[in-house]
Amino acid sequence: MHEIFGPYQLIERIASGGMAEIFKARTYGHSGFEKTLVIKRLHPRYTQTPEFVEMLKEEAKIAVGLSHSNIVQIFDLGRVQEHYYIAMEYINGRDLRQLMNQLKEQRAFIPPEAALYMVSELCAGLDFAHRKRDAHGRLLRLVHRDVSPHNLMISSEGEVKIVDFGIAKSLGDLHKTRTGQIFGTPHYMSPEQIKSSRQVDARSDLYSLGVIIFEALTGELPYQADSLFEVFEQHVRAPIPSLDGHHVKDLELFNLLIRSLLQKDPDQRLQSAAEVTEVLRGLREAYPLVGLPQAALTDNQSIG
């Protein structure tokens, strides 16, 4: 496809969901300048909600300022006819869900040392965003609210990047307003996000990170059930699972990390991404930090 969309040329549709379509795109400039990027084009029905448009504008302004090597950069928010769009950094790679699915087909898992590398990189991005302040020095209190494998990009060089930080809040608020449902990916949502009975803060993102660590090491989700209601019930009430029975060296240290992140009460969890990084130091002696398995990063799809 080669659709002209405002200042961009849409080359390939990468994905489509309930809120937006995602395209690989190009923009052109003077003297043959050319840049590849990703366009997230929101469905026109969302432009009919003025409150959402204002929220999106404000959040996009914040997201543009989140310049960090572990966060996918937002370049622009604009409108072409009835479509609002977000222009963002192009990553030559795949998301973590695709990578884990490929490894599962090969009956393999992410090695513990590679999982540690990935978590360390994610913590750096989360810590930066959670501590972000505005021009007046006021803490922005950013929360992603959908830290899940499809929002974590792995480049072909092994870089780890978080997608949509700073945009998730507006999309989530709109989703709740329109559907009455909780925004997020169910198997990765914290108990307080599921109950929506208290203000969700950065510690909710850390809970989601704990789910990802468990799945990366075992190939399984910590809580599984036949219905979404039962999954939610397990996140809220079931005991924290352990890695016992899985072939992981220094099992107790990994179990300590997972228990520290999957506590039901956020006051009982590790309180910041920086604290998670401190716990990781205890594991680095046994598992020197390395990149992700190169074989799993080849023959990839390009996503942003």
Side-chain angles (χ1 to χ4, degrees):
M1 67 177 293
H2 291 281
E3 177 186 344
I4 301 301
F5 181 70
Y8 306 103
Q9 182 182 45
L10 306 182
I11 302 169
E12 175 188 358
R13 185 164 69 175
I14 299 170
S16 180
M19 293 186 180
E21 297 176 292
I22 301 176
F23 299 89
K24 180 180 177 181
R26 288 197 189 102
T27 184
Y28 302 92
H30 184 66
S31 301
F33 172 83
E34 180 179 322
K35 184 177 182 64
T36 302
L37 62 154
V38 166
I39 297 294
K40 174 176 279 191
R41 185 168 72 181
L42 301 184
H43 292 309
R45 60 182 175 273
Y46 296 127
T47 64
Q48 308 305 313
T49 308
E51 295 85 359
F52 167 68
V53 173
E54 289 306 311
M55 281 193 300
L56 184 64
K57 288 178 180 178
E58 290 304 311
E59 294 296 329
K61 290 175 185 176
I62 293 171
V64 167
L66 290 177
S67 181
H68 189 275
S69 60
N70 297 115
I71 299 176
V72 170
Q73 181 72 53
I74 301 293
F75 298 133
D76 183 29
L77 168 71
R79 181 176 181 175
V80 175
Q81 296 177 347
E82 74 274 28
H83 289 282
Y84 273 90
Y85 69 87
I86 300 162
M88 64 182 73
E89 178 184 1
Y90 169 82
I91 306 299
N92 181 27
R94 64 181 67 202
D95 64 43
L96 180 60
R97 169 56 57 214
Q98 292 169 322
L99 187 148
M100 288 196 295
N101 285 346
Q102 180 184 347
L103 290 174
K104 195 170 185 178
E105 289 175 2
Q106 300 168 354
R107 297 185 179 181
F109 308 114
I110 296 177
E113 56 269 36
L116 274 178
Y117 164 79
M118 178 185 71
V119 173
S120 296
E121 295 293 289
L122 292 176
C123 281
L126 288 171
D127 185 54
F128 175 84
H130 290 160
R131 292 188 298 104
K132 184 69 175 175
R133 296 178 179 272
D134 65 15
H136 303 288
R138 295 172 297 203
L139 193 65
L140 291 171
R141 303 187 185 280
L142 295 178
V143 186
H144 191 289
R145 301 202 298 184
D146 194 14
V147 176
S148 53
H150 71 272
N151 276 330
L152 303 177
M153 288 298 304
I154 314 293
S155 79
S156 56
E157 291 78 31
E159 301 167 302
V160 182
K161 293 177 179 274
I162 305 167
V163 179
D164 280 356
F165 220 131
I167 297 298
K169 182 176 182 296
S170 284
L171 294 178
D173 287 343
L174 175 72
H175 190 60
K176 285 194 294 184
T177 299
R178 284 188 168 272
T179 69
Q181 298 176 353
I182 303 172
F183 176 76
T185 303
H187 285 90
Y188 302 88
M189 290 167 59
S190 68
E192 64 269 26
Q193 189 176 4
I194 290 169
K195 293 186 292 185
S196 66
S197 60
R198 60 181 294 172
Q199 182 67 35
V200 171
D201 60 29
R203 297 172 297 181
S204 180
D205 287 345
L206 300 184
Y207 181 95
S208 302
L209 183 63
V211 177
I212 289 170
I213 296 169
F214 188 96
E215 185 180 12
L217 291 172
T218 67
E220 302 172 356
L221 288 161
Y223 300 114
Q224 302 181 62
D226 293 332
S227 72
L228 194 57
F229 175 79
E230 291 175 298
V231 170
F232 283 163
E233 280 290 297
Q234 289 185 8
H235 276 282
V236 172
R237 308 186 196 286
I240 299 172
S242 77
L243 294 169
D244 295 345
H246 297 279
H247 300 289
V248 179
K249 188 170 62 174
D250 289 296
L251 189 64
E252 186 52 39
L253 287 174
F254 272 108
N255 272 331
L256 174 63
L257 175 61
I258 288 170
R259 284 198 303 269
S260 299
L261 291 172
L262 295 187
Q263 292 292 327
K264 312 299 184 185
D265 181 354
D267 290 337
Q268 301 301 314
R269 282 178 217 145
L270 293 170
Q271 296 295 289
S272 70
E275 288 189 10
V276 179
T277 300
E278 286 297 316
V279 174
L280 293 178
R281 288 178 182 170
L283 287 159
R284 288 177 184 169
E285 294 180 5
Y287 296 101
L289 288 181
V290 298
L292 290 161
Q294 194 61 36
L297 300 176
T298 58
D299 187 29
N300 52 32
Q301 299 180 21
S302 299
I303 307 175

